[in-house]
Amino acid sequence: MTAAPHGTPATAETDAGAPAPTEPDTGAGTDTGTNAGAPAPADADVDTGAPTAPPRRRGGTYVLTAALTAALLLGCLLSAGMGAYDIPLGDVLSSVRHRTGLGGHALDRVGESVLWNVRLPRVVLALLVGASLGCAGALMQGVFGNPLAEPGVIGISSGAAVGAVASIALGLTFFGNWTGTVCAFAAGLVTVLLVYALSRSGGRTEVVTLILTGIAVNAFAGALIGLFIFFADNAQITQITFWQLGSLAQATWPKVLAVLPCALLGLLVAPFYARKLDLLALGERPARHLGVDVERLRVVLVLVVALLTAAAVAVAGVITFVGLLVPHLLRMANGPGHRFLVPGSALGGALVLVAGDLAARTVADPAELPLGVLTALIGSPFFFWLLRRTRRKQGGWA
């Protein structure tokens, strides 16, 4: 089968497109000179002669989207109802209908407080963070032309965490509630640009260079966080620990509102670049011939990735592997076309994080597992499998 150049890709509660005809490659980088085996553009503005998606595959896309949406709705309901204070699903729906003026009835005082002040902010935050990480992973794999590109693996999340930790340790408040988000965005943007510059060589983004760059960036970010911890007081250390482990335990409506604009902006902008990502998957030269300004596309999408990652890290800390695992699973299920992959990864990421947060709250009840630790325990074996699969298909590393 022909290879393609890329993608192949005690709690707060207790306290109260168009698929390609070829299988995607786990290949190493964006080939600037060849388009062999690249996935066909989903809906190019220019007729490239690529085969259109068969009706059967389009039907599969609709079925997969409907299944993800249904699973996400069910996950949200379960997450809102389950925990140290169980609320039946019927009561959850009744309270939501009551608050929205569609009938139903209010719960007792404790139930209303648990549902609306503890559970629902957490569910909404999990939706936003998971969607942001999933979408950021799909965009990074498309931009870098590399299936191993993921904000956590190559150090973007750690870099953004340094910005957030610095704002805590240094007591920065110049943007009020937005200070942590702004600092995380700035640090995440610098990290993305640094990784991009260091991993590019001869017009290609090599797998080994990308991973080694991620190791170096993660190590450097860890050293900076350790330095901030050394100078921090006890209260600041507690906050910094939260960033390192990753958790949604401190979710509140103000935090949801603080991250909502960044997450929504990135999630709304990303799908508009799906066609160009499909063309970029053909190779840089063919993409330019088809009218794509490759460098401008990369700069814009790098900014979008930094925005999404900063939004996630600013409120949830470092949560890794969501942006790696979700796009790969969707690519295996429905092909590499970005018209589905980008919004589908946002949907899948939200589902994974809602389910993960529910598991983190209930598996070790009454204690709570750090969400970032749980995603790493699940994502690491998948990453090892992906590495072996990539090496097996390529006969070595690029």
Side-chain angles (χ1 to χ4, degrees):
M1 185 168 291
T2 310
H6 84 78
T8 17
T11 69
E13 180 179 325
T14 56
D15 292 337
T22 58
E23 180 179 346
D25 186 13
T26 54
T30 303
D31 189 342
T32 59
T34 180
N35 62 349
D43 189 8
D45 294 331
V46 181
D47 182 8
T48 61
T52 58
R56 184 176 180 182
R57 178 59 64 88
R58 286 200 298 269
T61 300
Y62 297 143
V63 170
L64 186 56
T65 302
L68 286 173
T69 303
L72 182 58
L73 290 175
L74 179 61
C76 290
L77 285 175
L78 291 174
S79 186
M82 295 178 65
Y85 184 91
D86 284 330
I87 304 175
L89 296 186
D91 287 350
V92 173
L93 293 174
S94 181
S95 181
V96 171
R97 292 205 311 272
H98 177 72
R99 291 282 184 123
T100 55
L102 299 176
H105 60 81
L107 307 180
D108 56 51
R109 185 179 60 83
V110 176
E112 283 285 299
S113 178
V114 169
L115 179 61
W116 289 93
N117 297 328
V118 178
R119 298 273 177 81
L120 289 182
R122 191 160 179 160
V123 172
V124 175
L125 205 58
L127 288 173
L128 292 174
V129 172
S132 297
L133 293 176
C135 185
L139 291 178
M140 287 197 68
Q141 291 168 16
V143 169
F144 283 94
N146 196 298
L148 300 179
E150 195 264 348
V153 173
I154 63 175
I156 310 301
S157 296
S158 296
V162 170
V165 168
S167 69
I168 296 172
L170 301 178
L172 304 179
T173 58
F174 43 79
F175 287 116
N177 291 335
W178 292 78
T179 303
T181 304
V182 171
C183 291
F185 173 72
L189 179 60
V190 171
T191 308
V192 168
L193 296 176
L194 180 65
V195 170
Y196 180 70
L198 292 177
S199 61
R200 294 279 291 177
S201 178
R204 291 169 56 88
T205 306
E206 297 179 346
V207 172
V208 174
T209 307
L210 191 68
I211 295 175
L212 292 178
T213 302
I215 293 172
V217 169
N218 276 318
F220 187 67
L224 288 179
I225 291 175
L227 191 61
F228 285 125
I229 290 176
F230 180 77
F231 290 107
D233 57 32
N234 289 335
Q236 291 171 333
I237 289 175
T238 301
Q239 288 182 280
I240 292 172
T241 301
F242 160 78
W243 296 103
Q244 291 178 295
L245 298 179
S247 175
L248 297 174
Q250 299 181 18
T252 60
W253 287 119
K255 286 192 174 184
V256 172
L257 294 178
V259 75
L260 185 64
C262 294
L264 279 186
L265 179 61
L267 293 173
L268 290 175
V269 167
F272 289 102
Y273 290 90
R275 295 178 180 178
K276 291 183 178 179
L277 284 175
D278 282 331
L279 294 176
L280 183 61
L282 296 169
E284 289 188 11
R285 185 177 301 170
R288 287 194 178 96
H289 290 166
L290 292 171
V292 178
D293 187 338
V294 174
E295 293 308 316
R296 181 180 179 184
L297 174 66
R298 284 197 165 123
V299 169
V300 170
L301 291 184
V302 161
L303 289 173
V304 173
V305 167
L307 190 66
L308 290 169
T309 304
V313 171
V315 294
V318 179
I319 297 176
T320 56
F321 293 106
V322 175
L324 177 73
L325 188 147
V326 173
H328 271 285
L329 293 178
L330 294 181
R331 203 176 279 116
M332 288 189 290
N334 198 62
H338 287 85
R339 271 209 314 184
F340 168 76
L341 189 62
V342 172
S345 294
L347 199 60
L351 173 61
V352 167
L353 218 62
V354 168
D357 184 56
L358 176 60
R361 287 192 292 112
T362 56
V363 166
D365 188 39
E368 176 176 333
L369 294 175
L371 183 57
V373 173
L374 189 63
T375 59
L377 286 174
I378 297 173
S380 296
F382 181 81
F383 185 66
F384 295 147
W385 170 80
L386 184 61
L387 285 174
R388 291 183 61 84
R389 180 173 180 264
T390 302
R391 185 174 61 179
R392 186 171 60 250
K393 291 189 67 174
Q394 295 182 349
W397 293 110

